Amino acid sequence: MEILQVAQHADDLDRASAFYEALLGGPPAARFDPPGLLFFNVGRSRLLLEKAAASALVYLQVDDVRVTIDAQRARGVEIVDEPHVIFSHDDDTLGPAGTDEWMAFIRDSEGNTVGLVSHEPRHDP
């Protein structure tokens, strides 16, 4: 099994479309309005934005959390939690061995919190 789709709340599909198009770097895959459904392909999964959906905490893997946060800050996006190392991977159980897992959180255009995650080579102090 794998996750096919995650639904996220969006009051305004046009506003949400603009936000996620900029964040994800590409246009929506489909829009059905009515009834008010907006889809983005994210890897092998879909992100569904719709008014009837509950807010979900979605984590997106990015190449570099710090670079992504800088780009989002430049766009005026609210940074909820600055980039920080959340975990160091000694083995491949949850991420690539020998990497640090960096995480940060932003607020999307609809008030949802979105996590951003990257795995980077471990830098011992």
Side-chain angles (χ1 to χ4, degrees), residues 46 75 99:
R46 293 186 306 236
R75 290 182 47 221
T99 64

Side-chain angles (χ1 to χ4, degrees), residues 19-93:
F19 180 88
Y20 280 96
E21 188 168 337
L23 177 63
L24 299 172
R31 182 174 180 154
F32 302 99
D33 199 13
L37 306 173
L38 179 64
F39 295 89
F40 281 89
N41 290 322
V42 183
R44 293 171 45 140
S45 301
R46 293 186 306 236
L47 176 62
L48 164 61
L49 300 165
E50 73 169 309
K51 193 169 191 172
S55 180
L57 182 49
V58 175
Y59 292 79
L60 300 172
Q61 185 170 0
V62 299
D63 290 334
D64 186 318
V65 166
R66 292 167 289 184
V67 169
T68 303
I69 285 294
D70 288 345
Q72 297 312 301
R73 190 184 325 274
R75 290 182 47 221
V77 171
E78 178 187 350
I79 310 305
V80 175
D81 194 13
E82 293 289 338
H84 59 283
V85 174
I86 193 80
F87 189 75
S88 293
H89 298 278
D90 294 325
D91 58 34
D92 292 323
T93 303

